[in-house]
């Protein structure tokens, strides 16, 4: 009589079931929590409740997980550049659209964008991702140049600096925005776009300061 034990239905149900997407969600959460460099496959296996061999069934290792994660974030951001409010929209309208939609992408893909923005360039995957980020910045800067040429935005600020200021503000949202909080992403996108393109000074006021009667 064989002593080989087989798993019963209850034992099999206890093992979490993952596809590659759900595995990636957990891996990104761990990378953001512990840092990519500080996360080993053993830690991923522990958090997933899987053996390392089960993870390798889906991906070749943590470098592939990182590549999948940052590609997802970058593809979503680059897709925004190819959108437009209308086929004949001005460069200024397109720039506003890019900024607004980037806020929405950040909120929708918050863990993935957070991971992207925290890369240090310590691997080939990270270096490729950083190069794509620079390409994104250049394309936004080109849009700023076109918007300035048509008189839609000021032309006395270097367009590359303007691009960095715009998206530095957008990117700072990863530090505090909670998608499941009380602030809807539409309200956030509206407010941020208004402040970036119109400023905080009340329209019609000649100079800052308390208004009379207040």
């Amino acid at each position: 009589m064989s002593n080989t034990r087989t798993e019963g239905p209850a034992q099999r149900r206890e093992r979490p079931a993952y596809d590659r997407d759900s595995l990636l969600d957990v891996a990104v959460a761990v990378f953001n929590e512990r840092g990519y460099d500080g996360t080993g496959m053993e830690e991923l296996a522990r958090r997933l409740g899987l053996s390392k061999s089960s993870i390798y069934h889906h991906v070749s290792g943590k470098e592939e997980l990182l590549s999948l994660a940052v590609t997802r974030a970058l593809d979503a951001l680059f897709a925004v550049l190819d959108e437009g409010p209308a086929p004949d929209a001005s460069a200024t309208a397109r720039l506003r659209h890019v900024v607004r939609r980037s806020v929405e992408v950040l909120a929708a893909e918050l863990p993935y964008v957070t991971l992207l923005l925290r890369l240090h360039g310590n691997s080939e995957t990270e270096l490729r991702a950083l190069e794509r980020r620079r390409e994104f910045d250049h394309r936004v800067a080109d849009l700023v140049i076109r918007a300035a040429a048509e008189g839609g935005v000021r032309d006395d600020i270097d367009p590359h600096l303007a691009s960095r200021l715009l998206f530095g503000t957008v990117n700072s949202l990863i530090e505090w925005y909670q998608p499941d909080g009380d602030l809807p992403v539409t309200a956030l996108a509206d407010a941020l776009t208004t402040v970036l393109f119109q400023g905080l000074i009340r329209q019609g006021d000649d100079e800052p300061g308390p208004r009379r009667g207040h």
Side-chain angles (χ1 to χ4, degrees), residues 85 87-97 142-155 197:
D88 58 348
S90 66
T92 305
R94 292 185 63 84
L95 181 61
R96 289 179 63 100
H97 178 81
D142 289 342
L143 196 52
V144 172
I145 292 171
R146 289 161 49 200
E150 69 186 18
V153 299
R154 57 192 302 163
D155 60 2
F197 285 89

Side-chain angles (χ1 to χ4, degrees), residues 123-136:
S123 68
E124 288 298 322
T125 295
E126 294 179 71
L127 290 171
R128 287 194 297 271
L130 292 175
E131 182 59 33
R132 286 194 70 190
R133 278 191 62 189
R134 284 190 287 272
E135 181 186 349
F136 182 89

Side-chain angles (χ1 to χ4, degrees), residues 103-119:
V103 175
E104 295 173 345
V105 166
L106 184 144
E109 303 287 355
L110 185 58
Y112 291 83
V113 176
T114 298
L115 181 61
L116 170 67
L117 295 178
R118 291 178 176 171
L119 296 183

Side-chain angles (χ1 to χ4, degrees), residues 96-104 107 169-170 173 176-177 183-200:
R96 289 179 63 100
H97 178 81
V98 167
V99 170
R100 192 182 196 288
R101 285 284 293 119
S102 294
V103 175
E104 295 173 345
T169 304
V170 173
L173 300 179
W176 61 269
Y177 181 65
L183 179 60
V185 65
T186 51
L188 175 64
D190 286 343
L192 187 143
T193 304
T194 298
V195 167
L196 287 177
F197 285 89
Q198 295 175 237
L200 285 172

Side-chain angles (χ1 to χ4, degrees), residues 77-91:
L77 290 169
F78 271 89
V80 169
L81 293 175
D82 297 323
E83 298 174 355
D88 58 348
S90 66

